[in-house]
Amino acid sequence: MTFNQPHSLLPVPSGILEISELAVTSKMRLSLVLPTYNEAKNIKAAIAILSQLLDATLPEAYELIVVDDNSPDKTWKVAQELIPQYPQLRVMRRTKERGLSTAVIRGWQAATGEILGVIDADLQHPPQVLLKLWQEIESGADLALASRHVEGGGVSEWSFIRRFLSRGAQMVGLIILPGVLGRISDPMSGYFLVRRRCVTQITLNPLGYKILIEVVARGKIRWIAETGYVFQERHAGESKVTWKQYVEYLQHLLRLRFSLWPLRRFFRFGVVGFSGVFVDLAVFFLLRELIGLGLTRSAILSAEVAIINNFFGNDLWTFGDISRQQRGWQKRSKRLLKFNLICLSGLTLNVLLVNLLFNVFGFNEYLAKLVAIAAVTLWNFWFNLKLSWRVTDSGM
Ligand code: GDD
Ligand code: MN
């Protein structure tokens, strides 16, 4: 069987989970992935309804991609047999990899559409909502999300315990990754559309069920639109969610947390800051003992020399990759000036904190100073990261 025959299966992409740009301008507008595991009883109805809907809206400009993980109930085979009837249908059967999130990405890798999407294959996601999501994309959204937690959204007959678990998982996510989960009202949703260009040139590395979190965390997404939907009851088959998915969800959040925090830069910033202490002391010693300058002047001058030392350490090493892109002495002096101002604000904060901790909270003097140093290091790091070197992307 060759690939061009209508009944053939899609080849399964392998290697890293990266989505490529479209080589030529494709006329395909939407590629919608339906991940399946034991959905033989649902897949036919799902394909029928979605095809009808999309034939009316995007005739011949959409594709439905079933990605099945070699289901024991042969979902892939049932889907494959539908291809002659639905020319926009593609089917992938994975035998080596498993799991919902990677299934979606493998499907997107094989997709040729400009907009990529995902919907459950068990009809728990109402198909009509897809048209609203599509409208949001047409209006310019980078990501259009079906949410249970905005107007028009909800769940049908969920037990208290399931609601509790779902909301609890969301709360935990908000604590671990506020910058990601805080952007979406329903981070658990597996029903959304995203522009291909927002998820290219990044390596995705999801775990478990929640592909949306991965996309929002690592993708280049500005505009997010949400549409309410009511999560339907299952008609046939059963949910694959077990306690394992909750553990994987937690692992996924933590993995993202550590890859999004600029830990390497922070470490280098700390090393440079530490070197500054010795520069400060050495210059202070020189000015006092050899030149005989007054105490305050010596302290100010030596602190400034340390600041300059730290600036160059950070400019060449901690943020070397960035400063190499912003060459020229003018830009460098601007960074030095900002660095100086931020360190000065840090010093002010330091003095205020020591006073507050000592006078108001009754801390021991040295403990107060230690806490202040830690807080100011974070302060200086963060503001220099964002203002002096302007590290804006999250992948650092
Ligand atoms: N290929 C593949 N591999 N598909 C899978 C796998 C897998 O390992 N596990 C599940 N699926 C498919 C299912 O067949 C179904 O089409 C879809 O992924 C969702 O799985 P369900 O097991 O039906 O999940 P659910 O209904 O309990 O959970 C849903 O919860 C969210 C709301 O909190 C998620 O699937 C979300 O999409 C949904 O919005
Ligand atoms: Mn389901």
Side-chain angles (χ1 to χ4, degrees):
M1 203 186 264
T2 66
F3 289 145
N4 295 329
Q5 277 177 301
H7 280 71
S8 65
L9 293 167
L10 279 178
V12 182
S14 58
I16 56 167
L17 296 166
E18 198 176 307
I19 294 155
S20 60
E21 321 242 359
L22 284 179
V24 279
T25 38
S26 156
K27 73 172 171 51
M28 194 61 76
R29 308 266 348 257
L30 172 65
S31 299
L32 188 63
V33 168
L34 293 91
T36 58
Y37 194 73
N38 285 343
E39 302 291 357
K41 293 202 182 100
N42 292 315
I43 194 68
K44 199 172 168 190
I47 297 296
I49 299 174
L50 287 168
S51 301
Q52 193 187 17
L53 215 63
L54 290 169
D55 279 337
T57 322
L58 294 164
E60 285 173 36
Y62 75 93
E63 57 184 352
L64 299 175
I65 305 176
V66 170
V67 182
D68 186 66
D69 285 356
N70 210 16
S71 299
D73 76 357
K74 296 208 162 46
T75 309
W76 55 274
K77 193 155 177 272
V78 178
Q80 196 180 8
E81 280 160 7
L82 296 170
I83 295 177
Q85 206 179 332
Y86 301 101
Q88 306 307 116
L89 176 61
R90 331 262 182 258
V91 180
M92 187 187 292
R93 175 192 182 189
R94 298 200 305 170
T95 51
K96 300 203 176 76
E97 260 177 331
R98 278 200 58 174
L100 179 50
S101 290
T102 61
V104 176
I105 298 171
R106 292 303 182 200
W108 287 345
Q109 284 183 307
T112 58
E114 168 200 347
I115 307 298
L116 306 172
V118 57
I119 183 170
D120 286 359
D122 53 12
L123 292 170
Q124 289 191 277
H125 291 155
Q128 294 75 12
V129 172
L130 190 62
L131 300 184
K132 288 196 197 156
L133 297 177
W134 181 252
Q135 273 168 14
E136 297 288 358
I137 291 283
E138 293 265 58
S139 318
D142 291 325
L143 183 125
L145 167 68
S147 165
R148 294 167 297 171
H149 306 311
V150 292
E151 206 185 314
V155 290
S156 27
E157 290 165 20
W158 277 23
S159 64
F160 172 75
I161 193 88
R162 189 155 181 205
R163 278 172 209 255
F164 177 79
L165 282 176
S166 178
R167 281 300 199 175
Q170 187 176 358
M171 293 294 280
V172 170
L174 263 173
I175 293 167
I176 300 179
L177 278 178
V180 176
L181 284 273
R183 297 185 68 190
I184 41 188
S185 70
D186 191 357
M188 307 298 148
S189 177
Y191 190 7
F192 64 91
L193 305 179
V194 62
R195 274 177 208 283
R196 175 188 288 266
R197 64 168 155 81
C198 302
V199 287
T200 53
Q201 291 170 330
I202 50 171
T203 303
L204 296 163
N205 187 13
L207 191 87
Y209 246 49
K210 299 307 174 190
I211 177 71
L212 173 65
I213 294 176
E214 182 75 9
V215 166
V216 175
R218 298 192 202 267
K220 298 157 279 185
I221 290 157
R222 296 221 172 101
W223 177 353
I224 298 179
E226 301 196 338
T227 300
Y229 85 98
V230 177
F231 195 73
Q232 305 295 309
E233 289 303 300
R234 250 183 189 273
H235 295 270
E238 56 193 34
S239 169
K240 282 92 206 170
V241 176
T242 62
W243 60 270
K244 188 171 163 245
Q245 270 73 37
Y246 288 97
V247 175
E248 283 182 342
Y249 168 72
L250 261 183
Q251 278 179 283
H252 187 195
L253 290 175
L254 292 174
R255 179 192 283 180
L256 279 171
R257 177 70 285 166
F258 286 109
S259 69
L260 297 185
W261 256 340
L263 286 182
R264 214 164 75 128
R265 286 195 205 280
F266 185 64
F267 173 76
R268 291 182 172 186
F269 192 83
V271 171
V272 170
F274 196 61
S275 79
V277 175
F278 297 98
V279 172
D280 197 336
L281 279 174
V283 174
F284 184 74
F285 175 81
L286 282 176
L287 295 174
R288 291 291 287 152
E289 303 295 322
L290 300 182
I291 305 178
L293 213 63
L295 183 76
T296 308
R297 286 184 195 184
S298 300
I300 292 176
L301 272 174
S302 64
E304 184 56 35
V305 174
I307 286 178
I308 293 172
N309 165 82
N310 291 7
F311 173 77
F312 281 102
N314 288 319
D315 204 51
L316 296 172
W317 188 43
T318 314
F319 301 104
D321 54 331
I322 296 188
S323 50
R324 275 191 290 278
Q325 288 167 14
Q326 305 168 12
R327 288 171 182 277
W329 66 269
Q330 263 180 326
K331 286 184 181 160
R332 180 165 280 172
S333 339
K334 209 168 141 188
R335 291 199 293 275
L336 176 61
L337 183 68
K338 285 191 198 167
F339 186 78
N340 248 297
L341 289 174
I342 291 166
C343 291
L344 198 65
S345 74
L347 184 65
T348 317
L349 181 71
N350 193 323
V351 175
L352 287 176
L353 263 179
V354 171
N355 268 289
L356 184 79
L357 294 174
F358 177 71
N359 291 322
V360 181
F361 294 99
F363 275 49
N364 166 292
E365 262 182 47
Y366 292 94
L367 186 65
K369 186 69 188 153
L370 216 62
V371 173
I373 290 173
V376 169
T377 305
L378 276 173
W379 167 282
N380 282 350
F381 175 69
W382 194 254
F383 283 99
N384 278 308
L385 177 85
K386 293 294 169 193
L387 300 175
S388 305
W389 284 275
R390 289 178 179 274
V391 179
T392 44
D393 55 335
S394 48
M396 298 285 138

